[in-house]
Amino acid sequence: MSGSLDEAVIRQLVARYEDYKEPALTRRRFKHHDLVPLLEKLGAHPAVTLTREGESAEGRGLFRLSIGTGDIPVLMWSQMHGDEATATLALLDLFRFLTADGMGADLSGLQTGILQQITLHAIPMLNPDAAERFQRHTPYGVDMNRDAVQRQCPESRLLKRIRDELQAEYGFNLHDQSTRYSVGESPKSAIISFLAPPFDAQRTIDPKRERSMQLIAGVNGMLQQVIPGHVAAYSDEFEPRAFGDNMQKWGTSTVLVESGGKKDDPEKQFIRKINGLILITSLHLIASETFQKWSVADYDAIPPNKLRLFDTVFRGASLRYKEEEVRMDIGINRTEINTDDAAGYYIHGIVAESGDLSTFNGYEEIDAGGLRVVPGEVFPELFETVEGLQAADPQKLLQQGYTAIRVRHLPEKTHTDLPYNIVSIGGTQPAGTFPDSDANLLFYRDDHLIYAVINGFVIDILNGWQWDGNSLVYH
Ligand SMILES: [Zn+2]
């Protein structure tokens, strides 16, 4: 058997992903009540056992899915941070893969090989209370991944108990990281970052941790065929309170998987698929013991995670400051802010950094050479209502340098889908090139508007005024 999966098998896993993917969930923001029926559906399969292991602080059920008849206990858990949902979807896909019929000789051989050697246990969505709010911390403010030692959260106690009961040989600690990590100095985003967590400050490599490293190196071998150059290594600084580090200490060879970002994949559905491939490949490498073909040196060769990406970078714009022309790059980031409405969030766009950003890259790179950047202003005339403005031409307002209008009767919302911001009578529209300014900027060539940036969203004036963002209401 080859060291990793054959290229042909990988191609089949990729090509047939839609066949075993759970189709009911296609976005990152889903909740416990969306997940539980899907777990029950999986649990109805004769090869799968679904166990209600306990409940969260707010009484939501915590479930373990198990499959396989092998001697090697493997434990996977996802979403201990409620806003890190990618791997929960991948765990559903994994169980659907392992129970799928008619996958052809190669893939069914892969299934059988795994199920004969391994007993797999998974706890999807370990922190459903935080998932309900799509936030990192528990509702009472604890970061579960700093609770491995004190175990103040019922979810932490449950995870430790299950690890101990199973005496898990391998553990997969499944998270999402910032989308703005790149692979070393390269412009490529870290779609996936791995870590074989250390169990002491000296980062000692004992045989159990070595297995984690070999496993990651083997999975990376597969990933380089599917997403070449998009895999990084997470910081290996010892964190004595984290689960990965302690799992390793408790004797479970642990792999941290961090789902990062990919251009044009805001719902991370491509990355979900990559996660599924990682989990299947890992189980194969364990079942076949072929991970041993890789070395610590192969693991060490994976480039480090670097926080070097912005959502958008304008290159070489010029800003007039007093009598000087200042040349600067401008890095813009758009961040999701949670809301209680149906969408669940809106976007807030800021200037993240400005100046020489030559060591950074953007998911979107815009050449602003020869363009003059000007902070947006508020239109001087007062409107009674937003509706009263509809007669005014927003394109004309932007041309004239206005990215906001002042309104007497404000909408109660925090944001709208209009291509300009709204300001109260006494309010202001923050705008500027200074870091942390709200990103409301206009870029001109001579007197012609070329780009408008409203709340971090770029309108390309010469290419059809495309706008699908949200603006803000400044109360
Ligand atoms: Zn996390």
Side-chain angles (χ1 to χ4, degrees), residues 81 84 136 175-176 258:
H81 295 137
E84 301 178 6
R136 178 181 179 91
H175 289 254
D176 284 70
E258 295 275 357

Side-chain angles (χ1 to χ4, degrees), residues 80-81 83-84 136 143 145 174-177 256 258:
M80 70 163 63
H81 295 137
D83 54 352
E84 301 178 6
R136 178 181 179 91
D143 181 341
N145 208 21
L174 307 173
H175 289 254
D176 284 70
Q177 65 180 3
L256 171 72
E258 295 275 357

Side-chain angles (χ1 to χ4, degrees), residues 169-191:
E169 283 279 323
Y170 296 88
F172 290 78
N173 187 15
L174 307 173
H175 289 254
D176 284 70
Q177 65 180 3
S178 167
T179 56
R180 301 191 184 107
Y181 279 110
S182 58
V183 176
E185 317 295 326
S186 91
K188 291 193 172 185
S189 65
I191 292 178

